[in-house]
Amino acid sequence: QVQLVESGGGSVQPGGSLRLSCVVSGSISSIYRMGWYRQAPGKQRELVATDTSGGSKNYADSVKDRFTISRENAKNTVYLQMNSLKPEDTAVYYCNVNLMSWGRPYWGQGTQVTVSS
């Protein structure tokens, strides 16, 4: 069984920064892909960023050059550094992992990020 726990969300003013953390626990041998998704009220869940084993990273156009995804494999933790936050970044952010390329995804409970003045 795999569990994901996000932390680091909160309320900030436009232009501020937050760092989200996601700790993956359970029976883990390796992690193929880690990522972050977000869902704003009334909208579909969308991909924010992914970090795939081998070093490849993918970002949504809306966050490119502002957000950075990274991981610490020894801690089974993935981070999302969010800078220059905008009101449209307001959403519940969900951590996601795939242990294998063919495996099912696991999701965290979500952490709220609110950007407002």
Side-chain angles (χ1 to χ4, degrees):
Q1 184 60 51
V2 177
Q3 299 87 39
L4 283 66
V5 179
E6 302 101 329
S7 63
S11 181
V12 298
Q13 294 184 337
S17 297
L18 287 172
R19 189 178 75 158
L20 306 183
S21 300
C22 174
V23 179
V24 184
S25 63
S27 299
I28 302 171
S29 58
S30 63
I31 298 176
Y32 173 69
R33 179 183 291 117
M34 296 181 173
W36 291 93
Y37 291 71
R38 67 186 182 186
Q39 186 168 22
K43 297 183 178 180
Q44 295 183 342
R45 186 173 298 185
E46 65 176 348
L47 183 148
V48 177
T50 59
D51 183 342
T52 302
S53 179
S56 64
K57 298 181 180 181
N58 183 49
Y59 295 93
D61 288 341
S62 60
V63 307
K64 193 173 187 297
D65 299 323
R66 297 190 297 118
F67 292 9
T68 302
I69 188 170
S70 62
R71 64 163 74 183
E72 292 188 56
N73 288 324
K75 296 182 178 180
N76 291 325
T77 301
V78 61
Y79 304 97
L80 184 68
Q81 179 66 47
M82 305 184 294
N83 299 324
S84 301
L85 284 162
K86 304 175 180 179
E88 53 263 41
D89 295 318
T90 296
V92 177
Y93 284 70
Y94 296 91
C95 181
N96 162 269
V97 301
N98 290 88
L99 301 184
M100 302 176 182
S101 62
W102 62 88
R104 79 169 186 87
Y106 293 88
W107 295 90
Q109 83 288 352
T111 185
Q112 177 71 48
V113 172
T114 302
V115 185
S116 65
S117 59

